[in-house]
Amino acid sequence: MQLFDTARQAVVPFEPGPEVKMYVCGITPYDSTHLGHANTYLTYDLLIRRLEDIGHTVKLVRNITDVDDSILPKARELGIDFLELAAAETARFHGDMVALDTRPVFNEPHATQWVAEMVEMVKTLDEQGHVYNVDGTVFFDVSTFDSFGAVSGYDEATMIEYAAERGGHPDDPRQRNPLDFILWQPSLEDEPSWPSPWGHGRPGWHIECSAMSKGTLGDTIDLHGGGSDLIFPHHECERAQSEAANGTTFVTHWMHCGMVAYEGTKMSKSLGNLVFVSELSKIADPRAIRLALMRHHYRSDWEWFDGDIDAAAELLGRLHVAANAPDGPDPEPYAERLRAALDDDLDAPAALAELSALADGMNHGGSDESAPTILRELAALCGVDLTAPPAPLD
Ligand SMILES: [Zn+2]
């Protein structure tokens, strides 16, 4: 199998051992799962299905960021405890993942339950001279880590621009370098806090994933994923602190998904242009949602149109009819090409085209009685169980 590696900027062989350690950054549970999230998690789900098809065991860790700079203000705005908000939204997220029939996770660490490990990691970084403390806020000093920038490959100006947009504070006068980032900070009066050598406070965003990844999968993982908006600063900072603390390679392969737009611009909470999985599931079979997302290559940025779901529902109906046909054409060439497409940088659109072509061929007859079984197997490999008939569109 070959996959694009963000750090190497090339499609390279992905050849893990029998057990694949995969960490995908999870949700901050303060709002519902939208199609951008679904697109990301279904991409890794497709990869997992193909890896399992080849014979690998996959240990997927997908965390829940239940304490960070975005959930606390939202809980304050709603006047509820942040853990209450997190529990409700996490339950909704689980419901969406079940509806979309994703493969189970090996572990789903919640950030609030791993704070002691985060503190340990910051202590290690402190002992090794990678941090400085300004009145209880502990910063990572990027000048102590030579290969900062190796994940994103961005120049300094771009890194500063993205840091400002995505949770960093390059203008903070307490920082020695605009790209330094927070490992630990004092909590505001109404915010949760934990004890640490630097006073009561809470962890920075990036250290959470570094500590949870180490705690669940060990120092080195085979593949780290997430949306392309996490390349910088989140994943760049994760790598810097993990490698500085652990003294070894953090991630062998970096894989990122493109962004989904709606109404002309990237789906985002602040703009309110979100399409929620739970809402779409009310009018469409969740398998059709999956098929609709598979029409786009994982690395591309693309736009969702309301009519996309109708086209996908039509395909789901056609696949279901074909799966119940008595026979069809020889399915093996389709199966070979479908698997080859997945192995070629997870080319979901090409795989989907093979599935659709086989269904078309079956609807035109043939004499191979294995065709319906193989079609069902190939659909399942793509995450679509054709056992039940499609739910009607409202
Ligand atoms: Zn993360």
Side-chain angles (χ1 to χ4, degrees):
M1 175 184 288
Q2 301 212 99
L3 291 172
F4 186 83
D5 181 318
T6 307
R8 283 174 276 181
Q9 284 292 301
V11 175
V12 296
F14 179 61
E15 292 164 337
E19 183 184 275
V20 184
K21 295 177 180 177
M22 187 183 295
Y23 187 98
V24 176
C25 288
I27 56 157
T28 299
Y30 69 117
D31 217 336
S32 297
T33 321
H34 59 68
L35 278 185
H37 297 129
N39 184 54
T40 296
Y41 300 132
L42 289 179
T43 291
Y44 298 101
D45 190 69
L46 181 61
L47 175 61
I48 289 167
R49 285 170 187 273
R50 175 56 182 147
L51 288 168
E52 290 176 340
D53 182 48
I54 295 168
H56 293 280
T57 304
V58 182
K59 284 184 165 177
L60 169 67
V61 173
R62 192 176 58 216
N63 67 289
I64 300 285
T65 308
D66 58 354
V67 56
D68 76 354
D69 288 342
S70 48
I71 191 168
L72 297 174
K74 177 76 179 192
R76 187 180 294 131
E77 179 194 320
L78 294 171
I80 58 174
D81 187 86
F82 78 106
L83 287 176
E84 198 183 318
L85 173 61
E89 292 301 342
T90 301
R92 278 157 66 124
F93 172 70
H94 287 157
D96 291 337
M97 291 298 108
V98 168
L100 293 170
D101 196 17
T102 52
R103 300 288 296 138
V105 292
F106 163 68
N107 200 321
E108 185 185 69
H110 291 231
T112 49
Q113 291 162 24
W114 289 81
V115 178
E117 286 78 4
M118 296 166 200
V119 168
E120 272 311 306
M121 199 172 223
V122 180
K123 273 166 71 176
T124 303
L125 291 170
D126 194 358
E127 285 157 15
Q128 295 175 357
H130 291 287
V131 316
Y132 55 94
N133 177 354
V134 184
D135 301 329
T137 298
V138 181
F139 294 93
F140 186 93
D141 181 346
V142 297
S143 70
T144 67
F145 188 74
D146 286 345
S147 60
F148 193 78
V151 179
S152 63
Y154 298 152
D155 60 26
E156 193 177 2
T158 307
M159 287 197 271
I160 291 173
E161 181 191 329
Y162 283 149
E165 274 174 28
R166 301 171 180 169
H169 305 279
D171 295 332
D172 187 334
R174 298 173 300 172
Q175 292 181 196
R176 293 177 185 168
N177 181 305
L179 294 174
D180 292 349
F181 54 92
I182 290 174
L183 296 165
W184 188 262
Q185 61 204 327
S187 301
L188 297 177
E189 213 162 275
D190 65 342
E191 290 179 346
S193 73
W194 289 265
S196 86
W198 318 280
H200 274 68
R202 60 185 179 89
W205 171 30
H206 315 306
I207 195 75
E208 296 186 349
C209 284
S210 282
M212 289 187 278
S213 174
K214 180 183 173 74
T216 54
L217 293 171
D219 288 352
T220 302
I221 56 181
D222 296 297
L223 187 140
H224 196 324
S228 60
D229 56 348
L230 294 182
I231 296 171
F232 195 91
H234 189 48
H235 289 168
E236 196 74 72
C237 297
E238 274 185 36
R239 173 180 174 271
Q241 58 202 6
S242 286
E243 297 203 351
N246 301 332
T248 187
T249 301
F250 174 41
V251 171
T252 311
H253 193 109
W254 291 93
M255 177 179 171
H256 294 98
C257 299
M259 297 285 112
V260 183
Y262 184 56
E263 294 170 341
T265 180
K266 180 192 149 184
M267 277 192 204
S268 83
K269 232 172 290 279
S270 52
L271 294 170
N273 60 335
L274 302 177
V275 179
F276 293 112
V277 171
S278 51
E279 291 300 313
L280 203 53
S281 297
K282 287 179 191 161
I283 59 158
D285 190 305
R287 291 170 294 177
I289 300 176
R290 190 189 272 264
L291 289 170
L293 298 178
M294 277 187 75
R295 290 179 59 205
H296 304 273
H297 192 270
Y298 78 91
R299 276 202 280 139
S300 60
D301 295 328
W302 55 276
E303 179 164 0
W304 173 264
F305 295 99
D306 293 331
D308 290 358
I309 197 66
D310 302 319
E314 185 274 330
L315 173 59
L316 177 62
R318 207 150 39 84
L319 291 172
H320 187 259
V321 169
N324 290 288
D327 45 34
D330 176 8
E332 285 309 325
Y334 297 91
E336 259 175 50
R337 289 192 298 263
L338 187 148
R339 287 189 167 91
L342 293 179
D343 292 350
D344 179 16
D345 197 20
L346 204 68
D347 191 343
L352 199 58
E354 292 301 330
L355 204 57
S356 177
L358 177 56
D360 278 349
M362 292 175 65
N363 292 337
H364 289 105
S367 58
D368 194 319
E369 291 175 5
S370 73
T373 305
I374 300 293
L375 176 72
R376 274 193 289 270
E377 281 175 16
L378 295 176
L381 174 56
C382 295
V384 177
D385 179 351
L386 291 175
T387 311
L393 278 176
D394 267 1

